[in-house]
Amino acid sequence: MKPVYITQFLVEEQRAMGESAPDLRLLIEVVTRACKRISIAIGKGALGGVLGEAGTGNVQGEAQKKLDVLSNDILMEANEWGGHLAALASEEMEHPQPIPEQYPQGGYLLLFDPLDGSSNIDVNISVGTIFSVLRAPEGTDIAHAEKAFLQPGVKQVAAGYTVYGPSTILVLTIGTGVHQFTLDREIGSFVLTQRDLKIPEQTREFSINASNARYWDAPVKRYIDDCLAGKDGPRGQDFNMRWVASMVADVHRILTRGGVFLYPIDSKTREQGGKLRLLYEANPMAFIVEQAGGAASTGHQRILDIQPEKLHQRIPVILGSRLEVETAVRYHGQG
Ligand code: AHG
Ligand code: MN
Ligand code: MN
């Protein structure tokens, strides 16, 4: 069978993208081109001098790795001149960046987590990039661009992630299902390798950082205890557990074979609202997971319905196989 390269795929999907199709297509192509560069840098590892600490901190108060900074720079540089964006926002930057005046302005907003799973960089475990695309509201005042980004996840027009793993893959939705591409390293192009991914509705696999157990709220404790009790407990079946600590890799496993991923709020993260970021992590992943037939909730609310209040807002996340997410949410309803 002839390979379908991402450009051909996007041309064929243009009709689903509506009026501004060429711009959105260009935007996605530019993002994926930047991701190829990130993939090449990661692939060089120690030989490329890209491992280790950058010696700086980000707005989240987190120490930045060299690759956090490099990936952010690559995405910024690639996206500023194309004429398809009004502004960009990144997990690594305190404020949104308007497109510099010398370049044409476009109608979209791009948000990204340039490097997800930073703690895994130096140990050669899969990391990735997550991105989300919104329409810039009419008459967006670039000087006050932050407000333009505060749109609920249901407004996303596209979202995707890459996993820089044994192979580099790209998972993308433009609201017409979820499609997977694999980077052909010799040719340098993403090739469509799976159309219309669907998450199995049921699962026996959960994904949570269990070292936080003593900080969890009662509903999460009860839910995990019941999973761990297996066939001897109320769930009546054994569960398996996986935790990569790169959201991209954990979500990708769930997209491939089912599962439920939880990063709940706990007494350690209560003040900041949770661990994962709504605009750069939760929303794009929730859009992808829902498009693949799964569900995504905070435990109390569908993630995609949340009206963001702050650019770097954090929230609790439960996502994955639809019936298992519903079960975990039911535990929250019980107080
Ligand atoms: P980032 O590297 O962008 O800061 O995100 C890391 C996130 C996410 O990828 C992962 O699921 C989680 O943090 C890992 O958290 P723990 O270190 O608590 O396991
Ligand atoms: Mn992340
Ligand atoms: Mn990150």
Side-chain angles (χ1 to χ4, degrees):
M1 229 176 41
K2 264 198 355 204
V4 176
Y5 295 105
I6 191 157
T7 306
Q8 182 185 348
F9 173 86
L10 292 171
V11 168
E12 286 168 2
E13 289 280 304
Q14 272 207 14
R15 246 175 307 149
M17 296 188 199
E19 266 169 38
S20 36
D23 266 10
L24 184 55
R25 183 160 68 81
L26 176 64
L27 192 168
I28 294 170
E29 284 204 58
V30 171
V31 171
T32 59
R33 212 176 303 143
C35 290
K36 270 190 279 181
R37 286 190 57 198
I38 298 171
S39 172
I40 290 166
I42 289 172
K44 289 189 175 142
L47 301 177
V50 295
L51 305 185
E53 305 294 325
T56 48
N58 67 8
V59 54
Q60 330 264 345
E62 298 160 340
Q64 290 175 304
K65 300 275 185 186
K66 282 187 194 162
L67 268 174
D68 288 321
V69 177
L70 181 68
S71 307
N72 193 63
D73 290 351
I74 290 175
L75 279 156
M76 289 297 294
E77 247 174 59
N79 279 287
E80 60 184 13
W81 49 264
H84 47 278
L85 287 176
L88 305 98
S90 162
E91 179 190 278
E92 300 298 335
M93 302 185 302
E94 184 167 6
H95 300 294
Q97 299 294 305
I99 296 300
E101 267 172 26
Q102 69 263 37
Y103 299 120
Q105 309 288 312
Y108 289 104
L109 302 172
L110 175 66
L111 303 91
F112 48 82
D113 174 357
L115 209 286
D116 176 67
S118 304
S119 69
N120 282 323
I121 292 170
D122 295 340
V123 288
N124 202 26
I125 291 177
S126 298
V127 292
T129 297
I130 310 173
F131 65 93
S132 160
V133 183
L134 293 165
R135 280 203 178 83
E138 280 297 304
T140 296
D141 175 0
I142 298 300
H144 298 95
E146 176 149 347
K147 215 168 138 228
F149 285 90
L150 305 183
Q151 303 181 38
V154 283
K155 300 269 190 184
Q156 290 171 103
V157 292
Y161 66 81
T162 54
V163 182
Y164 311 113
S167 53
T168 288
I169 55 123
L170 164 75
V171 171
L172 176 71
T173 186
I174 52 163
T176 59
V178 178
H179 312 290
Q180 184 179 323
F181 303 81
T182 304
L183 181 61
D184 182 325
R185 294 183 204 268
E186 273 94 65
I187 296 180
S189 295
F190 280 104
V191 181
L192 182 65
T193 40
Q194 203 175 342
R195 218 182 261 274
D196 214 11
L197 269 98
K198 289 289 174 220
I199 302 177
E201 284 196 334
Q202 259 160 341
T203 183
R204 293 174 177 206
E205 199 162 82
F206 65 89
S207 186
I208 194 164
N209 183 343
S211 72
N212 292 324
R214 70 186 189 285
Y215 304 112
W216 292 340
D217 289 343
V220 177
K221 243 184 221 143
R222 261 203 324 273
Y223 170 70
I224 297 296
D225 279 350
D226 288 355
C227 290
L228 291 172
K231 59 178 174 347
D232 303 328
R235 300 298 308 275
Q237 56 180 28
D238 286 343
F239 280 77
N240 190 14
M241 196 209 76
R242 287 286 185 276
W243 182 251
V244 180
S246 290
M247 190 189 197
V248 282
D250 282 313
V251 169
H252 192 63
R253 184 189 59 255
I254 287 169
L255 217 68
T256 308
R257 69 176 190 206
V260 60
F261 170 94
L262 303 96
Y263 214 119
I265 196 164
D266 58 31
S267 58
K268 251 193 340 187
T269 58
R270 189 159 340 269
E271 230 165 84
Q272 59 188 42
K275 159 110 183 186
L276 297 176
R277 280 126 307 201
L278 174 57
L279 294 178
Y280 318 110
E281 294 170 320
N283 269 345
M285 290 311 203
F287 186 22
I288 291 165
V289 162
E290 282 200 8
Q291 282 288 314
S297 167
T298 62
H300 300 282
Q301 193 183 3
R302 180 186 176 213
I303 285 175
L304 293 181
D305 284 336
I306 296 171
Q307 172 60 51
E309 285 161 10
K310 287 189 301 194
L311 195 60
H312 298 292
Q313 186 170 339
R314 298 177 188 247
I315 53 149
V317 173
I318 305 172
L319 58 75
S321 293
R322 191 175 59 79
L323 296 176
E324 195 55 35
V325 171
E326 285 170 9
T327 301
V329 168
R330 266 201 303 281
Y331 278 74
H332 285 73
Q334 293 158 10

